[in-house]
Each structure stands twice: as structure tokens, then as C-alpha cells.
Amino acid sequence: MGKPIFKRKIYDEILEWKENRSDKYALLIKGARRVGKSTIAEEFARKEFKSYILIDFAHTSKAIKELFDDTYDLDYFFLQLQQLTGTRLYEKESVIVFDEVQLLPKARQAIKYLVADGRYKYIETGSLISIKKNTKDILIPSEEHKISMYPMDFEEFLWAIGDVITAETIRTLIDKKKPAGNAMHRSLMRIFRLYMLIGGMPQAIESYLEYNNLQDVDMTKREIIDLYEEDFTKIDGSGMAGDIYDAIPANLSNNASRYVLSNAREGMRSEQVRNLLPDMLSSYTLNIAFHANNPTVGMALEKDTGRYKLFTSDVGLFITLAFKDKNYIENIIYNKLLSDKLEANLGYVYENAVAQMLVAKGNNLFYYTMESETSNHLYEIDFLISKGNKICPLEVKSGNYRGHKSLDVFCEKFSDRIRDRYVIHTKDYKWENGINYIPAYMVPFI
């Protein structure tokens, strides 16, 4: 049995590049390790071109790497490339895939001249693509059209497990603003909880489909986390980047209004992290929500870069990371989620899932806090997104959804800026007093 090829939405983005941009630009697919970049690039090359060459710079031969030492004579370059790979290239009908291109900076630099030559098309894939040591000695080509690839979203997960009905059902429910009803809602939440447990990393989903066992899935996710930890040492040999990543669950569980650096490492200071964080974000292994100092459509213009929350890019990895130092049996989130008995103090799992779903839809993440005028209480809106010229506040609840004082105070203060308001919870859909109470499985479709 061969490796499954999952249907991914990014395929349509790659097709748009081929049809409209490939004459002037190479395509650069950015994303975390093991997110499926190489698989989708090769699948696209196989389906959409007469022939293709895939060069994996993590495993290719020394002879192929040496071709990029001199790309002055492209006729000779392509002659050798075809000979070394045993693949014929056809003008305008072939594509060359540079996989893990960050491992050979000279190949990325050559893109400028290869695209200008015009004979073939080019797709690049890369992780940790913007780390300074991988680009400091080369000229970054401007002839790149960049797209981002994320873990499989809830709808892609449904496709992967053979469910082609549920997504359309949810779309219909939210379009008509209708509750699912007790039986259907329980079924939809059960599927969504399974998605949270497994996550959107293709290898984790493969493990689930092959073994139908969450312990095997957890082992796969631990291998991915270990791979990320190794990558973090390339960013920062002191181990600080790894500590920041490992402490994401602890920070969210403490319900703090920002990421607390001391939870990651005692004595860690913001100035130490200032240069480190952009490289971590470029690895696509985590998502960041900045504090919006002025909650309006232009939130990015007035964000507080020193006040933020961090989430893992995949909720399945988040669940494993939360118990990384213990074995699978001790990870209580698996049993709690499976049995629908997740306590309120584990609600941060849903918060990470919502962050992931919002990013997959193309949203930048922002949150907002404000102090009570009559007490020391701090009100917090978990997420803010823009729609048109208005904003939509989202409050995530895993337990009692009827109490949402923060949302009420926020909406009263900024009433003229607000379009839709949401409470995301685990119960069925309800519209009441101007608030959309939506179950978590509806978030990808709002």
C-alpha cells in the first residue's frame, strides 16, 4: 500500500500560479517541516506537466549540487541535469522542483536567471526559509511568488478520513443560522474532537488511518516535535528557542494576558527574544497573536510587538507537547476529549485550535485586554478579526458559555466598530441578543 496523497486546498493556489504567474515567477511554498509541501509539489508536477525533475537538496547527489556552482551556461546546465536525473525536459511543458531549497542557497539564488531563461517552470519548497545564515551570502531573487502551507484544516481532515458530507452540512447550518439538533451536534463535535486530538499533520493522519490507535498517532507527533526541536537548535544554539516553544501550553494554561518569558526559562528577557522570534515564526511551527492597542480594522498598524500570545501551529502537536515529558498514558487530554469531559481549566486546547483555524483562513491574530474601571479585573477578548470595515470579536469558551462579561464590555465600548460578535463553545448553535453562539466546528466556515 502506497503513501496516501491527501486532497489539499493549496493545490488551487498552485494552479493559479501556473496559469497566471509562472512565466515571470518561480513558486515558493513555505511551511513547517512535515506539513506536506514536498508531497503537494510533486503531485502537482506529476499531474500538471509533461515531465518534471524533483531535486531534494537534503538527499541529492554531490554532482547535482555542483551544477549550481556555475549557471552561466544554461544550455550546458540543463544538459547535465537531464543526464544526471535521467529525465527529459520539454520547453514550456516541464517543471523543476527544488525541494528544501534553503539547504543550498546557491540554487535559490539561481532562480533569478532560470526564470528569466523562460524554458521551464520552477517550484521551490522550504522550511526555516528566512533564517539569516541561509540567505546572508546570496542575492534573494525577486522572481518568487510566495504562498504559505499550513497543517490540514478541519475540512481537509474530513476529506482525508473519507467524509465528504460533513463540511457541506456545517456550511448549510451556519448559512441558515440553524442549530444542528442534539444528535447531529453530538456527532459533529465528536468528529471535531478527533481532529483536535490527531491534528492536521499528514503523517499523524496517516498513522490514524493505518492503525486506528491514538498511541501510534501520539508517537508520530512526538517524532515531528523532536524534528522541530532539532531545527530550533539551528536557529539558536543556546536552546532558548526550544524552551519558548515547549512552554506554549504552560503559558496558555496560566491564562495570562501575554506570553510570560519566565515560564520558558528563568531570567529570560524580552530583548533576548526580539531577534529570535521572527526566525521562529518563519519556521511556521507556531502562531502569534499580538495585542491590539487600538481594536479597529488597521490593527496591524498599532499592534504591541512586545505583548503577544503564542500558539502551536497544529493543535494535535499542542496536545502532545503539553505532556511531552510524560508518556501517552499520562496525557489526560486524550481521554478527556474523547469522552467529552474536558474541564474548563483545559479550555486552552480549544483556544489553540481556534487560533489554528483562523490562521488557515488567512487571518492575522490579534487579541485585546482592558482593565475594569471599578476593580482590578482584566477583561480580555481572545481573538479579533476584520470583516470589511468592521471588526468581529471572538470569545472562546470550553465550559460555561453564558458568562461572557469581557465580550459584553468590549462591545459596549466599541459598538460602532463591530460587525459580528461570537462566543465559540462546545454547545449547539444559537443566536441570542446579537451574539452568535457557535460550536467550535463552525469556526472554519464563518
Side-chain angles (χ1 to χ4, degrees):
M1 181 178 175
K3 181 180 178 181
I5 303 294
F6 297 124
K7 180 181 177 182
R8 303 297 298 268
K9 293 178 181 178
I10 200 173
Y11 194 100
D12 291 337
E13 292 185 62
I14 305 175
L15 190 61
E16 191 275 336
W17 159 80
K18 178 178 183 287
E19 294 174 349
N20 300 320
R21 307 171 191 266
S22 59
D23 288 343
K24 296 182 179 180
Y25 298 95
L27 179 70
L28 174 59
I29 306 174
K30 301 189 296 180
R33 299 275 295 275
R34 303 290 176 87
V35 81
K37 302 183 303 298
S38 305
T39 301
I40 197 70
E42 185 168 14
E43 181 193 16
F44 186 87
R46 178 173 53 81
K47 285 185 175 181
E48 305 294 340
F49 289 91
K50 187 172 181 177
S51 72
Y52 72 94
I53 291 173
L54 186 147
I55 306 173
D56 180 354
F57 289 112
H59 299 289
T60 197
S61 68
K62 180 181 178 182
I64 288 181
K65 289 181 179 179
E66 288 176 345
L67 291 181
F68 293 92
D69 290 338
D70 183 6
T71 55
Y72 180 76
D73 185 347
L74 288 179
D75 288 339
Y76 188 55
F77 174 86
F78 291 127
L79 185 69
Q80 292 183 90
L81 185 61
Q82 291 174 92
Q83 185 67 32
L84 289 169
T85 60
T87 301
R88 179 177 177 180
L89 295 171
Y90 301 87
E91 287 197 24
K92 307 297 183 182
E93 297 181 274
S94 295
V95 64
I96 302 173
V97 180
F98 292 172
D99 194 24
E100 300 293 355
V101 70
Q102 79 280 357
L103 297 178
L104 193 70
K106 286 182 180 179
R108 189 178 179 199
Q109 180 172 262
I111 283 293
K112 178 180 179 66
Y113 311 103
L114 296 172
V115 170
D117 173 72
R119 271 176 269 188
Y120 313 114
K121 313 297 184 184
Y122 301 90
I123 297 175
E124 305 167 88
T125 77
S127 306
L128 305 175
I129 204 76
S130 65
I131 290 182
K132 297 177 181 63
K133 71 183 185 66
N134 283 332
T135 57
K136 65 180 181 180
D137 297 324
I138 71 167
L139 178 67
I140 300 297
S142 58
E143 296 77 11
E144 288 177 334
H145 174 61
K146 302 178 179 68
I147 60 175
S148 297
M149 189 171 191
Y150 300 105
M152 295 170 72
D153 67 18
F154 182 45
E155 186 171 13
E156 290 172 323
F157 173 78
L158 292 170
W159 295 338
I161 63 174
D163 184 340
V164 296
I165 297 173
T166 294
E168 288 308 313
T169 298
I170 298 172
R171 279 195 180 91
T172 301
L173 291 172
I174 198 165
D175 286 346
K176 295 183 179 297
K177 296 190 173 183
K178 296 284 187 182
N182 289 339
M184 185 188 297
H185 171 71
R186 285 195 299 271
S187 175
L188 293 173
M189 277 303 302
R190 189 179 303 118
I191 297 171
F192 183 75
R193 292 197 304 271
L194 183 64
Y195 170 63
M196 291 172 67
L197 289 170
I198 297 170
M201 302 302 287
Q203 281 183 301
I205 297 172
E206 287 173 26
S207 294
Y208 169 71
L209 294 174
E210 184 173 357
Y211 301 110
N212 192 36
N213 184 296
L214 290 176
Q215 187 164 3
D216 288 299
V217 173
D218 191 70
M219 289 174 60
T220 300
K221 291 190 291 177
R222 286 173 185 267
E223 291 171 1
I224 295 171
I225 289 172
D226 288 345
L227 187 67
Y228 290 174
E229 301 282 6
E230 292 174 12
D231 282 341
F232 288 140
T233 63
K234 300 171 188 174
I235 299 176
D236 163 52
S238 74
M240 192 179 299
D243 290 346
I244 291 171
Y245 182 76
D246 286 349
I248 289 175
N251 264 276
L252 290 179
S253 68
N254 287 341
N255 201 29
S257 62
R258 69 174 72 195
Y259 187 96
V260 180
L261 294 174
S262 60
N263 286 341
R265 180 184 289 187
E266 194 66 37
M268 188 183 294
R269 298 183 180 277
S270 58
E271 54 266 25
Q272 295 175 287
V273 181
R274 189 172 294 118
N275 294 325
L276 191 58
L277 199 56
D279 284 339
M280 292 187 68
L281 292 171
S282 76
S283 74
Y284 282 71
T285 56
L286 66 164
N287 294 321
I288 189 167
F290 286 106
H291 188 274
N293 291 338
N294 183 17
T296 186
V297 173
M299 288 180 285
L301 299 175
E302 299 186 55
K303 67 186 181 185
D304 186 342
T305 57
R307 192 174 182 182
Y308 51 82
K309 289 187 173 185
L310 298 179
F311 306 88
T312 63
S313 60
D314 179 73
V315 67
L317 295 183
F318 179 91
I319 287 172
T320 295
L321 185 64
F323 287 81
K324 191 184 78 163
D325 297 328
K326 298 180 180 179
N327 60 36
Y328 164 80
I329 300 299
E330 294 178 271
N331 191 331
I332 60 173
I333 300 179
Y334 281 98
N335 288 334
K336 297 291 186 182
L337 269 179
L338 274 177
S339 60
D340 192 21
K341 293 179 179 177
L342 194 71
E343 294 100 334
N345 63 351
L346 292 175
Y348 54 87
V349 180
Y350 279 96
E351 192 174 344
N352 200 102
V354 171
Q356 176 182 343
M357 292 186 287
L358 292 176
V359 168
K361 286 175 62 68
N363 295 288
N364 292 319
L365 300 180
F366 298 96
Y367 71 104
Y368 184 73
T369 60
M370 54 189 169
E371 293 183 357
S372 169
E373 295 179 358
T374 59
S375 68
N376 293 327
H377 184 75
L378 193 69
Y379 297 114
E380 181 173 318
I381 299 299
D382 295 315
F383 298 105
L384 293 167
I385 60 174
S386 300
K387 280 189 179 181
N389 62 351
K390 300 284 187 178
I391 58 173
C392 303
L394 293 80
E395 189 165 343
V396 182
K397 298 281 189 181
S398 62
N400 176 24
Y401 67 92
R402 297 184 185 279
H404 40 74
K405 184 66 174 176
S406 293
L407 184 67
D408 296 339
V409 171
F410 179 86
C411 292
E412 182 178 351
K413 183 175 181 180
F414 299 106
S415 58
D416 59 329
R417 306 181 185 184
I418 294 171
R419 176 175 167 175
D420 302 314
R421 56 199 76 184
Y422 296 95
V423 170
I424 300 165
H425 62 148
T426 60
K427 306 298 182 183
D428 205 348
Y429 176 85
K430 181 175 69 170
W431 191 92
E432 186 176 270
N433 297 327
I435 298 174
N436 287 285
Y437 296 85
I438 65 169
Y441 55 74
M442 284 188 176
V443 171
F445 308 98
I446 60 174

